[in-house]
Amino acid sequence: MLSPAIDVATGPGWLENPYQPHLARIVRIYRMVPDNWVFTLRFLDEEIGRNFRQQPGTFVMLSIPGAGEAPISISSSPTRPGTLELCVRRVGRVTDALYRLQSNDLVGVRGPYGNGFPVEVMHGNDLLLVAGGLGMAPLRSLLWYALDRREHFGQVTLMYGAKNPASMLFREELVSLVDRTDINCLLTVDSDPGGTWKNHVGLLPKLFDRARIDPRTTYAAVCGPPIVYKFVLERLLPLGFSKDRILMSLERRMKCGVGKCGHCSIGYKYTCLHGPIFTYWDAINLPEMV
Amino acid sequence: MEVADCRTIARGDLNAWVTRLLGRAEVIAPVRGQGGDEVFASIAAPEEVLWSFRNPLLPPKHLLLPQTDTLAEFRRVDGHYQVQEPPPPRPKILLNARSCDAVGLAFLAEMHAQDLTDAAVLRRAEALTVVSLACHQPCPLGFCVCCDAGPFLEHDFDLQLTDLGDRFHAEPGTPKGQALLDLAPDLFQVADAAAAEQRFALEQQALASFGKETCHFGAAMRRISTRRVAEDLWEKMSPWCLECGGCNHACPTCYCFSVADRTENGCTTRCRMWDSCQYAEFTLEASGHNPRPKRADRMKRRFYHKVSAQYFQRDGRVGCVGCGRCVQVCMGTTDMPAVVGAIRRGNWVSGRPA
């Protein structure tokens, strides 16, 4: 069981109103893929930005006054502080309002929340990142953490599958990693209608044939739609992965982010407090998880 | 409670005491509402307080969790937002809460102090003094004796009153309760042995008069926590739930909430409102995915949260104080004693004799 990342004594002002958002400015909007844009935010109060203790895999509650609040996972790595990058899919009321904002507009941010990936535990091991679709958004934080602290990890493998090249998130950035020797970057698309894709074509689990993975020394981080978990687990478990070396990001509807509102509960765990990163062991032992 | 700290007050002096309480803080007590029923409301004069009453249908949990509670306010000034915190709570005294409701408030305060603390609720709990009135008789639907929440309390109150007929026995549980006694040293006498004995006898009598209407959590807790409740039992019970959310809203220990923004005159108020885990939209995600699509899933969630050993371990008590309000409000008979009984027996007998 991963320990919840609760640091009540030293957290930034937990005895203050936990629902009070801090104002942040949108400094850049990268219109990456239709309805999947990346918003770069910078806190107005530099002090808050400096004390923002994110870990790969944590999330923030992003609020647009008048529209509401939504949990959004952080796509930027804590090794590159100063700004926050949020990859947001336009899907609901809050994200719709966000897409109508422009650079220099203000939003509210509170957090970071969640346990994040247990990076200290993962140090010294190999890393296997498996992402499908929007699952790349939270895993990108871990990816850049590993690349920026490369000496802490053994072999690093990324497997990412998208529907087609046009819908691949962070495509330029990831394609530029393919030639690097310190990471085995495997990108695949289900179909390539344009015929210009130079990487793999086929379903995500097929990438397992292209990588050599030692389950005894590897931590696997998986994120994607439910079907990704199903098929990726079918490949990971026969390799001999122990259940506590498979880390999954599971999200639920949330309202508070601090374990009070009850919306994100899975059994007796709260996704915002004890998650969103759960081991596969947690997943099969929590009631109503899978 | 030290016996030496206990006091008695003559029934005729109660109004004088309440007048002094009113001079110190806002006093909330059960009063006769306009429709003739009992409600918890702010009082202006000591005569409004009911000293013998049926427990109001809505618990006083709104003192810690208002039905609509402002979390933050945003005011737009020159393209900038001013974020304002809600003002700090004022001191309040809750007078004549029944034992179950006093325990419910203690449950909520403890729960919001866990993990990441909810300062707003804790500040309200700090500013609130709970004066409980012990019960001589089980109320018709109550089963507090099964939940360690009555009829008399040993903890979770600031000051506990017991009606001895011509006088009231008062035992302070915390310095906050002691302070209320210190407000009127002339009205309170040190409790004599006869008063202590009478209070003890009333407690024994109240405990003895609980009938069959009790709720045995032990077996249900074992089954729920180890996932040994048959799946089809939930399926059989779920059609009896009307998804009205009444059980949640009338429950002294339910605390789930939803958050929404309201904009008026350029000022956006972010509020939290009571929510119900029985609503289908409670877990509905923006993508359209719903982890609990079936009513049976949601019922299971409610009783898992209330009765499972995992939550018992976290909270130190079951999420039920035995007030019987869910029995009263549920139109479909899927209330706490009925469901706990069904889990214990392993079969569901639909409906309850009227």
Side-chain angles (χ1 to χ4, degrees):
Chain A
M1 188 66 73
L2 302 179
S3 60
I6 297 165
D7 196 355
V8 178
T10 55
W14 287 126
L15 286 175
E16 294 157 23
N17 180 359
Y19 304 107
Q20 174 117 350
H22 302 294
L23 290 178
R25 197 175 288 287
I26 301 178
V27 292
R28 179 168 173 260
I29 300 177
Y30 168 34
R31 292 168 173 81
M32 183 169 61
V33 169
D35 286 347
N36 280 294
W37 293 358
V38 181
F39 296 82
T40 308
L41 310 179
R42 189 193 296 278
F43 284 104
L44 291 191
D45 186 346
E46 284 179 19
E47 190 64 31
I48 289 164
R50 259 198 299 279
N51 293 331
F52 199 78
R53 299 162 183 224
Q54 72 179 93
Q55 285 273 319
T58 51
F59 65 95
V60 293
M61 292 299 283
L62 175 76
S63 61
I64 318 273
E69 269 189 316
I72 308 282
S73 51
I74 303 171
S75 294
S76 54
S77 165
T79 51
R80 302 180 179 198
T83 55
L84 278 183
E85 288 172 8
L86 308 179
C87 175
V88 183
R89 172 169 288 177
R90 183 182 200 161
V91 67
R93 185 163 32 92
V94 177
T95 51
D96 202 52
L98 179 69
Y99 270 64
R100 276 185 259 121
L101 296 182
Q102 321 210 320
S103 288
N104 232 15
D105 281 345
L106 292 174
V107 294
V109 174
R110 56 190 179 91
Y113 295 124
N115 57 358
F117 288 101
V119 281
E120 272 82 25
V121 180
M122 294 154 82
H123 279 174
N125 287 276
D126 295 343
L127 269 189
L128 168 64
L129 313 182
V130 188
L134 193 55
M136 197 59 222
L139 283 189
R140 179 173 175 263
S141 173
L142 182 62
L143 172 69
W144 282 107
Y145 179 92
L147 291 178
D148 289 345
R149 302 218 172 141
R150 194 61 192 83
E151 69 280 9
H152 288 315
F153 297 95
Q155 187 188 314
V156 177
T157 309
L158 169 70
M159 298 179 181
Y160 177 34
K163 278 206 181 72
N164 51 55
S167 69
M168 179 166 273
L169 308 183
F170 304 104
R171 188 180 62 227
E172 279 77 12
E173 184 181 300
L174 295 176
V175 166
S176 75
L177 295 179
V178 171
D179 294 334
R180 271 172 73 157
T181 52
D182 57 348
I183 174 172
N184 185 9
C185 180
L186 301 166
L187 306 175
T188 186
V189 291
D190 296 351
S191 65
D192 178 25
T196 55
W197 183 243
K198 294 196 175 63
N199 287 284
H200 304 285
V201 179
L203 294 175
L204 176 62
K206 287 215 167 141
L207 292 179
F208 278 89
D209 304 333
R210 309 253 169 193
R212 190 173 299 148
I213 292 152
D214 182 355
R216 289 165 304 171
T217 58
T218 304
Y219 273 97
V222 188
C223 191
I227 191 148
V228 164
Y229 295 110
K230 182 169 183 283
F231 287 110
V232 168
L233 285 170
E234 278 177 12
R235 299 303 294 253
L236 287 175
L237 294 175
L239 282 176
F241 264 90
S242 70
K243 295 184 179 76
D244 60 341
R245 279 181 172 266
I246 303 176
L247 304 163
M248 318 161 69
S249 179
L250 294 165
E251 277 132 35
R252 286 281 190 266
R253 182 179 191 177
M254 284 179 203
K255 286 290 181 180
C256 73
V258 293
K260 300 285 177 271
C261 77
H263 283 260
C264 70
S265 58
I266 303 175
Y268 58 100
K269 296 285 173 193
Y270 290 91
T271 316
C272 62
L273 217 56
H274 309 98
I277 312 300
F278 292 94
T279 63
Y280 181 55
W281 177 259
D282 295 342
I284 54 176
N285 284 293
L286 271 178
E288 70 173 1
M289 178 83 100
V290 275
Chain B
M1 174 200 67
E2 294 292 323
V3 176
D5 294 333
C6 293
R7 297 285 183 274
T8 54
I9 182 171
R11 185 179 278 275
D13 288 338
L14 284 172
N15 281 1
W17 180 53
V18 175
T19 308
R20 288 192 210 177
L21 296 184
L22 276 168
R24 188 184 151 106
E26 183 183 347
V27 177
I28 292 96
V31 299
R32 186 72 53 194
Q34 288 176 342
D37 52 345
E38 295 86 348
V39 289
F40 282 107
S42 230
I43 59 161
E47 293 77 30
E48 294 175 40
V49 180
L50 301 177
W51 293 92
S52 165
F53 57 93
R54 204 178 46 172
N55 209 9
L57 184 56
L58 280 180
K61 76 168 166 178
H62 63 273
L63 297 176
L64 296 187
L65 302 171
Q67 193 162 5
T68 307
D69 180 17
T70 302
L71 296 176
E73 283 182 343
F74 306 86
R75 194 171 284 282
R76 190 141 198 144
V77 182
D78 304 331
H80 197 92
Y81 286 109
Q82 273 180 344
V83 188
Q84 289 167 332
E85 267 204 70
R90 287 172 301 149
K92 287 181 184 174
I93 297 170
L94 173 62
L95 188 63
N96 285 1
R98 287 301 188 186
S99 303
C100 49
D101 289 340
V103 174
L105 291 170
F107 176 94
L108 292 178
E110 278 168 23
M111 183 269 151
H112 284 88
Q114 283 174 355
D115 301 331
L116 299 180
T117 53
D118 192 322
V121 175
L122 294 186
R123 276 196 216 117
R124 281 191 202 113
E126 191 54 46
L128 179 70
T129 310
V130 179
V131 181
S132 71
L133 181 61
C135 301
H136 292 184
Q137 285 294 322
C139 45
L141 301 172
F143 49 95
C144 53
V145 69
C146 314
C147 311
D148 191 21
F152 280 58
L153 290 180
E154 284 167 17
H155 44 73
D156 299 329
F157 58 88
D158 292 317
L159 184 68
Q160 178 167 246
L161 301 178
T162 311
D163 188 346
L164 303 181
D166 55 343
R167 54 185 180 160
F168 277 70
H169 182 269
E171 51 195 291
T174 63
K176 280 196 286 183
Q178 181 67 45
L180 299 189
L181 294 182
D182 295 342
L183 270 182
D186 50 324
L187 301 177
F188 286 97
Q189 290 84 43
V190 175
D192 48 31
E197 225 161 78
Q198 199 184 346
R199 177 210 172 278
F200 182 72
L202 282 169
E203 180 171 359
Q204 296 306 313
Q205 179 206 318
L207 281 171
S209 45
F210 274 89
K212 279 198 302 175
E213 277 303 312
T214 50
C215 187
H216 300 283
F217 286 106
M221 183 181 288
R222 271 196 300 282
R223 292 201 177 179
I224 287 184
S225 327
T226 52
R227 293 194 252 175
R228 280 189 288 129
V229 182
E231 204 59 37
D232 67 328
L233 184 61
W234 297 111
E235 296 286 350
K236 267 185 226 157
M237 288 191 281
S238 61
W240 290 84
C241 172
L242 304 181
E243 290 188 56
C244 66
C247 51
N248 297 113
H249 297 330
C251 179
T253 64
C254 268
Y255 52 80
C256 290
F257 61 85
S258 183
V259 179
D261 284 13
R262 277 198 306 211
T263 305
E264 275 169 9
N265 303 329
C267 178
T268 297
T269 313
R270 176 158 299 150
C271 321
R272 58 171 145 183
M273 296 142 307
W274 294 353
D275 205 345
S276 165
C277 56
Q278 304 302 297
Y279 297 158
E281 286 190 6
F282 188 73
T283 50
L284 181 65
E285 293 162 18
S287 62
H289 172 239
N290 192 348
R292 295 192 200 113
K294 286 185 296 188
R295 204 184 281 168
D297 299 336
R298 300 192 283 276
M299 263 187 81
K300 191 156 85 180
R301 168 66 201 162
R302 177 166 130 77
F303 288 95
Y304 185 86
H305 191 176
K306 293 273 184 207
V307 186
S308 73
Q310 285 84 351
Y311 274 97
F312 187 84
Q313 196 174 16
R314 193 194 75 162
D315 298 326
R317 38 180 128 209
V318 284
C320 174
V321 294
C323 64
R325 287 185 174 97
C326 52
V327 188
Q328 200 176 347
V329 299
C330 186
M331 294 176 282
T333 73
T334 53
D335 49 66
M336 180 63 76
V339 172
V340 163
I343 291 170
R344 185 160 48 88
R345 289 190 308 269
N347 70 322
W348 169 249
V349 184
S350 55
R352 188 178 40 227

